[in-house]
Amino acid sequence: MKKQTYLIVIAFFSIYVFWGSTYLWNKIAVTELPPFMLASMRFSTAGLLIFLIARVMGISLKITKKEFLNCVFAGFLFLGYGNGVFVWALKYVDSSFGALLASIQPIVILLLMRLWHRNKIKSKSIIGIVLGIVGMYLLVSQKGLVLQERSVLGIIMIFTCIISWSIGSVFVAQAAMPKNFFITTGYQMLTAGITLAFASLFMGESWSNPIDWSSKTQGSLIALILFGSIAAFTSFNYLLKVVSTEKVSTSAYVNPIVALLLGWYFLDEVITVQTTIAAVILLAGVYFINSAKKGKKYT
């Protein structure tokens, strides 16, 4: 295989598995920590670590004004709002249920591409989306899903986060960004972390010392920084430039499967026959979208 092929495979593994794990890590941490403080510390720390690693490796941090503004905007859509509000919503929605809701992102992206770029949606992609909808319906229609207090508000806010992520995905695919994807991730995370810090102060959240946290919360934040932020988000920015946006969005189909498996293993959640059938259908949807021949950037 060519070097780029290896990088693409590793990057997809990162956004599929690591991001699928973030639902569990966020759920563990947000039960103890204020959501915006948690997200701010996660992204600020990850951004600073990225810049430190870049300096050690001799990578220049210089970018143009346009690239910086694009990073700030994308960072807000993906992380400041898209992730920060999502973490807040996890206070009222189960992690696996939140992951299932996020699986509609490919549908939103395809609609955006159709509205903004007037691009034709390929037949295989349509089949994949239909399978994704059917699989998602089977998952969320189970009687075993118990909604918590203020869950309706949480679900509504998660939908707005999905829209924010989708707009960001379409924007980044064409926007002028730093050539180095690692640096792109650093600027997006650091600026989003600062934005989330202001949001935390505005919401009146109480900040605490990480030393005083439980070991589970400390471990979750470390995993969120290293795997969910640095590894996965760098992979995400890379994939948006080398494959179609619609293929990158297939992570929204796989992430719920990973989240369900982790919930079963670590939280003793039950995986029913209906869940298994839904998982197979969702993965079939991923196959059809990924097997669609690459044409224009947004098809």
Side-chain angles (χ1 to χ4, degrees):
M1 275 195 275
K2 296 180 180 179
K3 180 180 178 181
Q4 186 182 51
T5 303
Y6 280 115
L7 290 176
I8 291 174
V9 171
I10 293 173
F12 267 111
F13 175 85
S14 182
I15 67 171
Y16 280 174
V17 178
F18 292 159
W19 263 349
S21 305
T22 59
Y23 295 98
L24 174 66
W25 297 330
N26 271 315
K27 184 64 176 180
I28 292 174
V30 82
T31 56
E32 181 177 347
L33 305 177
F36 292 111
M37 183 203 79
L38 167 63
S40 176
M41 294 187 69
R42 169 189 174 184
F43 295 126
S44 298
T45 304
L48 291 173
L49 283 175
I50 285 175
F51 287 149
L52 178 60
I53 295 172
R55 293 297 296 173
V56 172
M57 296 176 63
I59 301 175
S60 175
L61 303 181
K62 293 182 179 180
I63 60 175
T64 66
K65 180 180 178 180
K66 184 176 182 179
E67 290 172 341
F68 175 75
L69 292 176
N70 286 341
C71 283
V72 173
F73 183 57
F76 171 78
L77 291 174
F78 288 140
L79 309 174
Y81 189 93
N83 184 273
V85 175
F86 196 103
V87 172
W88 174 87
L90 286 179
K91 291 174 65 69
Y92 311 108
V93 176
D94 290 341
S95 61
S96 58
F97 191 77
L100 302 178
L101 292 177
S103 66
I104 71 166
Q105 184 188 354
I107 302 172
V108 178
I109 287 180
L110 283 179
L111 290 175
L112 288 176
M113 292 188 296
R114 179 63 177 171
L115 291 173
W116 290 358
H117 304 284
R118 301 293 181 182
N119 289 324
K120 182 180 179 181
I121 301 175
K122 295 183 178 180
S123 57
K124 277 193 173 182
S125 296
I126 294 175
I127 295 173
I129 291 298
V130 171
L131 289 173
I133 294 174
V134 173
M136 184 185 70
Y137 172 77
L138 288 175
L139 284 168
V140 302
S141 63
Q142 297 180 85
K143 296 180 180 180
L145 291 176
V146 180
L147 300 180
Q148 304 169 358
E149 183 183 359
R150 300 185 70 183
S151 60
V152 174
L153 176 60
I155 290 171
I156 292 173
M157 297 312 295
I158 285 177
F159 276 121
T160 66
C161 293
I162 294 168
I163 294 173
S164 181
W165 267 87
S166 300
I167 294 174
S169 297
V170 176
F171 170 75
V172 167
Q174 286 191 327
M177 290 288 179
K179 294 182 179 179
N180 189 293
F181 303 105
F182 200 48
I183 299 303
T184 298
T185 301
Y187 276 106
Q188 290 180 8
M189 290 198 170
L190 186 58
T191 56
I194 294 172
T195 300
L196 286 162
F198 281 110
S200 177
L201 294 175
F202 178 79
M203 296 297 290
E205 293 182 348
S206 298
W207 286 54
S208 56
N209 192 324
I211 298 177
D212 299 326
W213 303 347
S214 67
S215 58
K216 284 186 177 181
T217 299
Q218 291 172 342
S220 295
L221 182 60
I222 292 173
L224 285 168
I225 292 172
L226 298 180
F227 301 108
S229 299
I230 297 177
F233 204 69
T234 300
S235 298
F236 176 72
N237 278 308
Y238 169 71
L239 288 173
L240 283 176
K241 290 297 184 181
V242 297
V243 301
S244 70
T245 307
E246 139 187 349
K247 287 182 172 62
V248 179
S249 71
T250 58
S251 63
Y253 287 156
V254 182
N255 291 164
I257 308 303
V258 176
L260 285 171
L261 291 174
L262 290 176
W264 165 74
Y265 186 80
F266 290 102
L267 304 177
D268 296 323
E269 295 177 349
V270 178
I271 298 181
T272 64
V273 174
Q274 186 171 336
T275 297
T276 304
I277 295 173
V280 172
I281 295 175
L282 283 169
L283 291 176
V286 173
Y287 168 77
F288 274 100
I289 290 181
N290 280 334
S291 62
K293 292 182 179 179
K294 184 176 180 181
K296 293 180 181 180
K297 186 71 177 178
Y298 289 96
T299 57

